[in-house]
């Protein structure tokens, strides 16, 4: 079995779905998308377990976004959006991740029509859990994500709330970019995003059928 | 010496400077930036010499943008913008590249404040030349770029017209994302961008001290 360190070492692209939970779209006063859209984070932004803290660039309002991540296991092009089995077969592992976002930088980029690469791409802006075997998550559309800051729960929702499910996400992405082994897809964040400041401790986890998945547990300052 | 195929096989991120030539900023009715900004293209978008044509996604107005590319040779963080020698030492090779852009998709993304990843990231949207040894380009700020479509010259300008020079570009990028060996930086396009349709043949090249650099010659449909 691969390790999360080898996934980081070999990852070539990270595609992140935006606005994929209705209540999160509302909390940021965004428009609900008619189709999935995504942005890229660079592999250099991955922060391995225990390698923290997340660096806080000067002048940046940094937000957490907990997300279920997919580690792709094979080459996928032009996947049919109805091909649920094909989508599941494309996934080699799951992971939990926090899509750290320089919210004020992103807000300015959105206002000016500029790319999101800087807002999303700083070094350390993608803390990840260890790898989670597929067998641990029988249904990725029924997994409970949570994130706390200094032990106060901030995000706490089920992946069943996704606006676009994983087959549709992988279909839309793979019609643009060939998915390759080792690529990572982040599936969007539920409501409850907010700022963290230096010293705040983020914890996050994944609950399946009422049980915490140990490999998913994250703690990062 | 590496080959362009090995660069593609190992590349982990591609950072592209936007709006770096004044006349190109004007032709797209954009604002001149106060500081360099950049976006990411995925390694899966690289199109090796002879591997064409560029695929034209349905409904897409596809534009060419010829650019001088830098292949990074070492890890760089937080480079001083005045450190011209450090910047040059970070470069292992040059290449010529065409930053293909789904202009209508990008225009819509700009209007809606959405990311540029789709507009810039389709498979085949980054045709590249072979690798160019550093010794062939004594001064990267005095290199003449050209691009033709069906033998009509469309872009034809010198890199001396860059608004932000390479040390400043690498400084700003490396304050956000660690540059790693094998990364590629595209330094922006001069004026003259425009559409290509199926069957159009793009040629591009680089002239140094009045002479065509053979390794830079590109031809792609
Ligand atoms: Mg996110
Ligand atoms: Mg460009
Ligand atoms: Mg023609």
């Amino acid at each position: 079995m691969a390790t999360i360190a080898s996934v980081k070492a070999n990852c070539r692209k990270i595609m992140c779905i935006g606005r994929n939970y209705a209540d999160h779209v509302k909390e940021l006063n965004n428009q609900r998308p008619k189709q999935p859209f995504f942005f890229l984070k660079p592999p250099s932004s991955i922060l391995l377990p225990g390698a923290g803290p997340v660096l806080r660039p000067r002048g940046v309002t940094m937000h957490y976004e907990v997300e279920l991540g997919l580690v792709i296991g094979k080459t996928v092009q032009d996947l049919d959006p109805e091909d649920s089995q094909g989508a599941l077969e494309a996934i080699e592992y799951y992971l939990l991740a926090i899509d750290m976002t320089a919210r004020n930088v992103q807000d300015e980029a959105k206002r000016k029509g500029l790319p999101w690469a800087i807002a999303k791409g700083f070094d350390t802006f993608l803390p990840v859990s260890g790898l989670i075997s597929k067998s641990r998550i029988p249904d990725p559309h029924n997994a409970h994500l949570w994130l706390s800051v200094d032990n106060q729960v901030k995000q706490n929702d089920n992946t069943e709330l996704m606006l676009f499910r994983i087959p549709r996400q992988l279909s839309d992405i793979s019609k643009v970019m060939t998915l390759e082994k080792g690529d990572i897809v982040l599936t969007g964040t539920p409501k409850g995003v907010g700022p963290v400041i230096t010293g705040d401790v983020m914890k996050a986890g994944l609950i399946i059928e009422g049980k915490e998945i140990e490999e998913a547990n994250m703690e990062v300052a």
Side-chain angles (χ1 to χ4, degrees), chain A residues 105-120:
Chain A
V105 177
Q106 187 196 31
D107 286 343
E108 189 183 345
K110 283 157 68 176
R111 222 164 32 238
K112 295 187 173 171
L114 292 175
W116 294 15
I118 296 174
K120 291 287 191 175

Side-chain angles (χ1 to χ4, degrees), chain A residues 17 39 65 67 99 120 188-189:
Chain A
I17 305 288
F39 55 88
E65 300 185 353
E67 314 204 4
D99 170 21
K120 291 287 191 175
T189 196

